[in-house]
Structure formats: C-alpha cells, structure tokens
Amino acid sequence: MGKVVLVTGAARQLGGRFVRRIQRDPDVERVIAVDAMTPPHRLGSAEFVRTDIRQSAIARVLAEYSVDTVVHLAVTGGAGVGAGGAGSAVKETNVIGTMQLLGACQKSPTVRRLVVKSSTSVYGAAPRDPAVFSETTQPKSLPSVGFAKDAVEVEGYVRGFARRRPDVAVCVLRFANILGPFADSALAEYFSMPVMPTVLGYDPRLQFVHEDDVLDVLRLAAGEPRRGTLNSGTFNIAGDGVLLLSQCSRRLGRPTVALPLPALTWVGSALRAVGVTDFSPEQIRLLTHGRVVETSQMREVLGFKPMYTTTETFADFTRSRGNGLLPPERAGRAVDRVAGMLKVDVAVAGSAAGSGAEEGAQR
C-alpha cells in the first residue's frame, strides 16, 4: 500500500500547491487536505476535510484515514497578523492548533513521519546578531511578539513530541523569506508598495527561497530518505547568496524613503490599522538588521539543492509584480544619490564634532 499523507493549511496558496504536487509522488496513495476554511483553489484528487486543527476532531481524521505522514503547513504569519481578532485567530491556529495536532499524532499508532513548516524568523533580528546563523546558533534575543514568537513556541512543542515519539521521523524546515510569482506574504506586500519605507542608516542583508523550491523540499522531507541522506532533524532552507534591501528596490524599480526608526514604527502602525500591509514590528526589525542563514546541513544531510538562488528568486518575483514607478536604472541612481547624500551628512557631522572637540582641547 502507498502512503497516506495529511496536509494542514490546505486553503492557503502554498498548502494548495503542495497538495497538488504531492499527489504526483508514485509512493503516495491518498492525500487528505485539511483546513478550517474551504479552499478557493482546486486540490486535484485529494480528499478535503473541513476541520479546525484547534479542535479534537483532528484526531478522528488521523484515525479514520490511517494517516502515516503529516505535513503541517498551517503555521503561518498570514496577512494582517497582529491586527485585532484576525491576528488572534492566526496565533491560536499556530500555537494551539499545533499542540492539538501533535497530541493527536502522539496517540496515533499509524503516524510515522511529521514535517513542520517553520521559519528562519526564530533567530530574531538584533544588532548583535552573528553574520550567519546555523541551525545550532542561539539567538541574541528571542522574538517576543508576532509570528516569530509563534514559530519558536511551535518548534518547542515539536521537540517535545519528538522525545515522546522517537519512532516518528520529525523534520522541521526553517524557511527564509518565501518569494515567487504567487507569494502572498507580508514581505511580498511590502515589496509591492509603490514607495518602500526603509530605516534610515540601515541597508540589511536579505535571503530568499523560491516557492517552487519550498514545494520540492517539502516533498523530499515527506518521502523516504535517499541513500546517504536523512530527512529528520532541523534544517535552514534558503537560496544561495544574499541581496541588500537597496539592491531589491533597484531591481523592482521602486523608490525608497528612509525614515528614522521611530517614524517608521509609526508608519507601520498606521499601515496595519488601515489594512494596507502587515508592517509588523517583526518585519521592521528584519528591515533594520536583516538575517542570513547557513545551509550546508540542507545540502549535506537532507540532500536538497535549491533550483533558485536568492537573486534568481527575487528576479522571478519581480517579473510577476510588473514595473515600478521608476525604471530599474533610474531607481538605482536615485538610491545611490540618497546614499551619497547621507554619507556626506555623516561625514560633515563627524567633522564638526571633531572640530568642536579640538577647539575644546585647545581651550
């Protein structure tokens, strides 16, 4: 008999695409798609079960279909997280839903494999962070709010489950920022703004993973291990290379406006209030300090090599968003001009400070 795979978060764009993709695996006999909402997209031959993973009914679904593989994609930041009731519901699904799902998996005699979608946001974003995070790096400051905090809690519960059920292969995939033609994340919304607000004096390094690579690595993690690989453990998933935020704005042809951090925080609150984009404190920290992760474990242990680099991922995303207000070359010149002005201002301020100190010493 083939595998019976249950996928949570099937109503989300990524969940629906993975449900359709995993059906093509010759080792998979049946796919059970689960979500509290009816998906707006087709799910192929998968059987859709409308149920809320925050409720105990998920245990009955596992038992009824004799599920042996669970792919948990319902852990998400979502749009508008942190904005009233919608944010609370997402947090409950992330944390309470995961607890309920893990409890059901723990009692199930048929479950043998668990794959959990997590995020590199568990490392946080702080001024004293290392240049590159590995899977064993401890963050300087644990995330205290938003999706990043949810992801940290979820991973804690997953580690507890792995200790209680050592017979289950558990794979946690920490994805960098996911982009592509169909991306619907908060960062994708930010990059779609006609003018992108940035933090004055900062040009963070960013890393991306293509949504097609996300589907491929999820499929790999849900399958049987290949010779010489091990699809259990915790893995950073990202495309090679990095991009500076200024490089992203050039490629998009979208101008930036640099704001002092307090002003940007106020702008972010205003944008969230009117529902324009999820400009959360978590995203502001990312756009201030950036985040880069090391991916050797992904290649050497998991046996996965992304098809897209960070630059190629962003290029594919850019093509799907159309032209910005400025042609890329003009946007690049504008960014360079503003950066040059900032450098001159800093140099002048430093010279003035030095002159003042010199005069004081002479006196």
Side-chain angles (χ1 to χ4, degrees):
M1 285 186 62
K3 299 175 67 172
V4 180
V5 181
L6 181 140
V7 182
T8 68
R12 302 279 299 189
Q13 177 269 137
L14 183 66
R17 291 190 67 192
F18 179 71
V19 166
R20 295 191 296 273
R21 173 69 64 85
I22 196 67
Q23 294 170 35
R24 303 203 296 264
D25 193 321
D27 296 330
V28 173
E29 178 181 344
R30 202 173 191 184
V31 179
I32 313 300
V34 171
D35 206 296
M37 300 171 53
T38 301
H41 40 250
R42 60 183 180 83
L43 296 175
S45 61
E47 299 179 51
F48 175 67
V49 179
R50 183 169 181 172
T51 189
D52 192 332
I53 62 171
R54 294 174 294 179
Q55 307 299 325
S56 59
I58 189 63
R60 294 196 294 272
V61 176
L62 293 177
E64 179 181 349
Y65 293 97
S66 299
V67 171
D68 54 66
T69 302
V70 175
V71 182
H72 185 28
L73 304 183
V75 180
T76 179
V81 175
S88 299
V90 171
K91 181 175 180 62
E92 285 183 9
T93 300
N94 287 344
V95 179
I96 305 301
T98 298
M99 293 175 63
Q100 193 72 251
L101 177 66
L102 293 176
C105 289
Q106 183 176 335
K107 297 175 183 177
S108 170
T110 59
V111 171
R112 289 291 177 265
R113 189 171 302 279
L114 171 67
V115 180
V116 178
K117 171 182 171 287
S118 187
S119 167
T120 57
S121 64
V122 297
Y123 300 116
R128 296 189 299 112
D129 280 347
V132 180
F133 286 98
S134 71
E135 286 85 351
T136 58
T137 304
Q138 294 299 314
K140 298 293 184 182
S141 177
L142 281 173
S144 58
V145 295
F147 168 64
K149 183 175 185 294
D150 293 352
V152 169
E153 292 184 30
V154 164
E155 287 199 14
Y157 295 131
V158 171
R159 286 192 294 272
F161 168 80
R163 289 192 296 268
R164 294 188 296 271
R165 284 290 304 269
D167 59 311
V168 176
V170 178
C171 184
V172 177
L173 302 176
R174 291 176 177 166
F175 291 104
N177 300 289
I178 301 172
L179 288 182
F182 303 102
D184 58 359
S185 64
L187 192 63
E189 291 180 354
Y190 167 75
F191 283 135
S192 301
M193 298 175 69
V195 178
M196 295 159 44
T198 62
V199 183
L200 181 65
Y202 291 87
D203 195 9
R205 298 177 306 152
L206 302 174
Q207 228 174 0
F208 307 115
V209 58
H210 197 282
E211 54 198 6
D212 288 349
D213 284 324
V214 172
L215 299 177
D216 287 342
V217 74
L218 285 169
R219 183 183 178 191
L220 172 65
E224 295 301 320
R226 302 173 184 171
R227 182 182 298 274
T229 65
L230 179 69
N231 58 353
S232 61
T234 299
F235 303 95
N236 293 330
I237 309 295
D240 286 345
V242 300
L243 282 174
L244 297 175
L245 181 57
S246 60
Q247 293 175 312
C248 294
S249 71
R250 296 181 193 192
R251 285 160 168 76
L252 286 165
R254 286 177 165 81
T256 60
V257 54
L259 302 172
L261 185 55
L264 185 61
T265 301
W266 180 87
V267 169
S269 299
L271 291 174
R272 286 201 311 277
V274 297
V276 173
T277 184
D278 176 26
F279 218 95
S280 64
E282 174 190 336
Q283 182 161 306
I284 292 175
R285 284 192 291 272
L286 175 66
L287 298 177
T288 304
H289 306 294
R291 185 186 306 116
V292 177
V293 298
E294 199 263 346
T295 57
S296 62
Q297 292 289 99
M298 172 190 75
R299 298 171 181 277
E300 298 168 7
V301 180
L302 187 59
F304 179 72
K305 180 180 180 180
M307 293 187 300
Y308 294 82
T309 65
T310 285
T311 299
E312 291 167 344
T313 297
F314 196 77
D316 199 31
F317 168 77
T318 300
R319 285 190 291 269
S320 72
R321 299 292 147 154
N323 296 326
L325 292 178
L326 300 175
E329 62 275 9
R330 288 186 60 192
R333 288 196 296 269
V335 171
D336 289 340
R337 192 176 302 117
V338 172
M341 293 170 61
L342 288 174
K343 289 178 181 177
V344 170
D345 289 344
V346 170
V348 170
S351 176
S355 298
E358 185 178 344
E359 290 176 5
Q362 291 174 351
R363 291 172 185 170

